[in-house]
Amino acid sequence: MTARAAGSRGSADGGPGDDPGAPPPDDEAVAVPDADAEQVARTILLDQLTGRARSRQELATKLASRNVPEEVAERLLDRFEEVGLVDDAAFARTWVEGRRSAKGLARRALAQELRRKGVDDEVAREALAEVEPDDETETARELVRKKLRSMRGLEAPVATRRLVGMLARKGYAPGTAYGVVREELAARGDDVDALDGAGEPD
């Protein structure tokens, strides 16, 4: 058989040598293996965890945004939990401590933030239970004192409304906010008896 004849037979058989540039038939298409998706997910997780802790839900959301298959994401997140790299309880404690220190947030505001991070309510409650009521009141007092430095000359009713509003935005209960503001205004010499309930909760 001549080389020409052999080439003709290869064409008739439809062998893969006919057109090296043609895509393989559908049944020969190679799917991306789970191992590759897992490696991508692992890289994303390690990158996300560099610098600060994150909640499991935050990490799951990031993996989903990068099109990591859900089953691969869940499997890898479970592994990271087993070795302690993902720990919502530790994350919640760190978040509470950091946000109280940096922003002076009260437990109510912190609970809302943890919920947005996907932390389970029971886990959040355990972290928030470490904040003593007296510590929260003292933090509110420090916030008011700091703000009062820029309120020289403001009449007490105006200062009261602004200060109570500031504390409310940080999650402090109305009673706590108004009580602290009233005490601090009295300490600087304001006539708090003349406030007529300015900023006081109903």
Side-chain angles (χ1 to χ4, degrees), residues 5-46:
S8 298
R9 187 176 67 180
S11 177
D13 291 342
D18 295 344
D19 185 356
D26 289 343
D27 59 352
E28 294 181 24
V30 179
V32 177
D34 273 359
D36 289 351
E38 185 166 311
Q39 183 57 49
V40 169
R42 187 184 300 275
T43 300
I44 293 170
L45 290 176
L46 292 174

Side-chain angles (χ1 to χ4, degrees), residues 14-111:
D18 295 344
D19 185 356
D26 289 343
D27 59 352
E28 294 181 24
V30 179
V32 177
D34 273 359
D36 289 351
E38 185 166 311
Q39 183 57 49
V40 169
R42 187 184 300 275
T43 300
I44 293 170
L45 290 176
L46 292 174
D47 180 66
Q48 287 292 298
L49 292 168
T50 299
R52 76 168 179 87
R54 296 181 189 272
S55 70
R56 177 171 177 136
Q57 183 58 52
E58 283 184 293
L59 295 170
T61 299
K62 173 59 71 172
L63 292 176
S65 74
R66 298 289 293 274
N67 299 318
V68 173
E70 184 177 354
E71 63 275 13
V72 173
E74 288 296 314
R75 184 167 66 243
L76 199 54
L77 285 168
D78 286 344
R79 291 180 189 171
F80 272 54
E81 279 191 336
E82 289 172 4
V83 299
L85 291 175
V86 176
D87 184 340
D88 275 5
F91 167 80
R93 290 192 298 270
T94 300
W95 184 265
V96 167
E97 181 179 351
R99 295 292 282 172
R100 285 192 69 242
S101 175
K103 298 294 183 179
L105 299 185
R107 284 170 292 185
R108 183 167 58 179
L110 291 166

Side-chain angles (χ1 to χ4, degrees), residues 156-157 185-186 189-195:
L185 287 175
D190 285 279
D191 181 9
V192 293
D193 292 331
L195 291 175

Side-chain angles (χ1 to χ4, degrees), residues 108 137 140 144 160 163-169 171-184 199-201:
R108 183 167 58 179
T137 300
V144 169
T160 297
L163 291 167
V164 169
M166 179 265 291
L167 290 178
R169 289 189 293 274
Y172 290 88
T176 299
Y178 183 74
V180 168
V181 169
R182 188 180 180 89
E183 290 172 6
E184 291 305 312
E200 187 173 7

Side-chain angles (χ1 to χ4, degrees), residues 93-160:
R93 290 192 298 270
T94 300
W95 184 265
V96 167
E97 181 179 351
R99 295 292 282 172
R100 285 192 69 242
S101 175
K103 298 294 183 179
L105 299 185
R107 284 170 292 185
R108 183 167 58 179
L110 291 166
Q112 292 172 348
E113 290 192 343
L114 289 174
R115 190 171 296 114
R116 287 196 293 270
K117 296 289 184 182
V119 176
D120 179 78
D121 286 346
E122 182 59 34
V123 172
R125 278 193 293 270
E126 290 177 2
L128 293 168
E130 298 181 9
V131 180
E132 296 292 338
D134 288 346
D135 292 340
E136 187 165 281
T137 300
E138 186 57 32
T139 300
R141 196 178 304 282
E142 292 171 2
L143 289 168
V144 169
R145 288 173 179 171
K146 181 178 180 180
K147 191 69 173 177
L148 275 173
R149 298 187 196 120
S150 63
M151 288 186 168
R152 292 187 179 90
L154 277 183
E155 294 182 354
V158 177
T160 297

